[in-house]
Amino acid sequence: MSESNSMVWPSLRVSDWQDTRETLHMWLQVVGKIRMAHAPLLNHWWQVTLYVSARGLTTSAIPYDNAVFDIEFDFVDHRLVIRADDGSTRSVALAPKSVAQFYVETMRALDELGLGTRIQGRPNEVEESIPFAEDTRHRSYDPDAVWLFWRQLVRANKLLNEFRAGYVGKVSPVHFYWGAMDLACTRFSGRPAPIHAGGAPHCADWVMEEGYSHELSSCGFWPGGGAEGAFYAYAYPEPTGYADHPAGEGYYDRDLGEFVLPNEVVRKSNDPDAVVAEFLRRTYEAASTLGDWDRGALESDPYRWAQQRAATRWSRR
């Protein structure tokens, strides 16, 4: 693999930033819950997610009465930036500090901008749900590790968006779920699914019921599943034979109940982009073919206008 590939696919061992990852996870939940407090419900909780930006992760515009604001984790300068539509801003340093301190500073910054907000004050989808205001256990922040994680997300975001482009059926944006700390993209068959049984820790069953209300094939990237994080894919409901379908360089993890492609396998390959693309394609094929989706009506060629675009005169002005 070339030196340029090693820069595109950074090596970040999960075990090397565990304390920082757990602290950042709680901070992400605080900000995600701020967005959730103001944004109207969208199917599958799409209104609560964050998005990869040119500096980190952003909420995008959040409605507030007749105004909007946004919040961005800036992993370049390592600060949380809150911007109101009147031009006023506040920032919170991303540095070693407790979740409790981060929570107080963030909520105070919102108050100073006239954006007073109340949120559910404890995390979801974690085994031990310590209220944010009381969490002095999680207090680590390694800026280099966080920057490397963001660079992993930047690359995954590109490849997931390229994969998303081949679908004209219902498909989610490529977005970051702060509950499980994963970047995800989900395709849907168009049919309702069986009611989900729930079971996520500190997360009501009806929350999972909304998330999995329709048949889906989901894929993404998260800081788990491999020594350096992993791409993943799963189907709900899982069709018969799904786990035995070939998945390129990936494999089906029966403990997780999903396909996994470790980042270290991708990073060390001769063509990382192709390895990920094959994994995403094959795992989707497993869900859609075995699940009897109407693939002809749902899929499209993302290069269908390439010839016409190539013939168009473009200007630099």
Side-chain angles (χ1 to χ4, degrees), residues 211-261:
Y212 293 92
S213 62
H214 288 72
E215 289 183 349
L216 58 81
S217 175
S218 191
C219 59
F221 179 88
W222 99 109
E228 301 175 5
F231 288 88
Y232 68 84
Y234 64 88
Y236 182 79
E238 183 177 302
T240 302
Y242 179 77
D244 299 319
H245 196 279
E249 296 295 319
Y251 64 94
Y252 189 85
D253 186 311
R254 296 189 181 273
D255 291 331
L256 294 173
E258 58 189 35
F259 286 101
V260 172
L261 174 63

Side-chain angles (χ1 to χ4, degrees), residues 280-295:
L280 299 177
R281 176 179 60 81
R282 285 183 174 270
T283 52
Y284 161 70
E285 286 176 349
S288 59
T289 301
L290 297 173
D292 195 28
W293 292 21
D294 186 358
R295 294 183 57 184

Side-chain angles (χ1 to χ4, degrees), residues 192-209:
I195 295 176
H196 196 278
H202 299 284
C203 187
D205 289 349
W206 57 267
V207 174
M208 305 303 290
E209 185 177 335

